[in-house]
């Protein structure tokens, strides 16, 4: 079972570090949460972090003000070392200072991610289960001089996410159909682009109908993501 560290960079609990957290973990305003945030912009039970198929997954629990990872609103997200989670006025950092100072620390969290960090995404490995501590982890000082937040505010700073593993045949077929649909729609819009040879930077131009098609595709993706997180 994976264990992780969450440091609080901003907010009322700034400077606190929660070590050896074993999922599932809830974060919110109520005392029953593993991490309690004294912030009226944080929902009673704001988000949950749990382990599934060797990945550490964050899920927004229908919070009023939402959850952001690396500045981007998310409903569900596979967490990586170095991710910054924004809830209300609080900013949380995934990983300890030691882990974040290691080379190639931007990896997907899994069972052995904190013992041996390679340069490629990790998968679940064998290991003895670790029981979650019964009490709140102690607060320890955060050394801001030893690690600085990354300048790259991409939602996926370490590159595209990997495909899910262990899918059944029917699920693989559905995923293939979905990706084929997105690929075809994007390809047709890109093929409709026309280069403006008279402009200094020679930009590509799309007519309004193709631009609206891109907007509709973005909306469709939003619907897909919401259906997945709210089945």
């Amino acid at each position: 079972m994976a264990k992780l560290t969450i440091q609080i960079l901003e907010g009322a609990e700034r400077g606190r570090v929660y070590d050896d957290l074993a999922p599932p973990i809830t974060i919110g305003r109520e005392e029953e949460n593993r991490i309690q945030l004294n912030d009226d912009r944080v929902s009673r039970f704001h988000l949950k972090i749990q382990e599934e198929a060797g990945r550490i997954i964050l899920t927004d629990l229908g919070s009023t003000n939402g959850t952001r990872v690396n500045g981007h609103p998310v409903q569900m997200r596979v967490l990586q070392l170095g991710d910054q989670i924004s809830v209300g006025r609080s900013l949380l950092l995934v990983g300890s200072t030691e882990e974040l100072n290691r080379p190639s620390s931007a990896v997907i969290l899994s069972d052995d991610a904190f013992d041996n960090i390679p340069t490629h995404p990790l998968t679940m490995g064998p290991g003895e289960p670790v029981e979650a501590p019964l009490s709140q982890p102690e607060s320890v000082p955060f050394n801001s001089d030893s690690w600085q937040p990354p300048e790259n505010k991409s939602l996926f700073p370490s590159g595209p996410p990997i495909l899910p593993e262990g899918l059944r045949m029917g699920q693989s077929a559905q995923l293939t159909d979905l990706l084929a649909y997105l690929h075809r729609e994007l390809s047709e819009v890109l093929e409709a682009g026309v280069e403006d040879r008279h402009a200094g930077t020679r930009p590509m131009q799309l007519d309004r109908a193709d631009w609206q098609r891109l907007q509709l595709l973005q909306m469709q993706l939003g619907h897909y993501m919401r259906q997945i997180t709210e089945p």
Side-chain angles (χ1 to χ4, degrees), residues 6 18 28 45 79 98 102 114 118 141 146 154 176 178 220 227:
I6 293 180
Y18 295 84
F45 295 92
L79 287 176
E98 179 185 2
R102 296 177 186 174
F114 302 94
S146 60
S154 169
T176 300
L178 175 58
Q220 182 64 54
Q227 287 173 352

Side-chain angles (χ1 to χ4, degrees), residues 58 120 143 187:
L58 176 151
H120 57 81
N143 183 2
S187 295

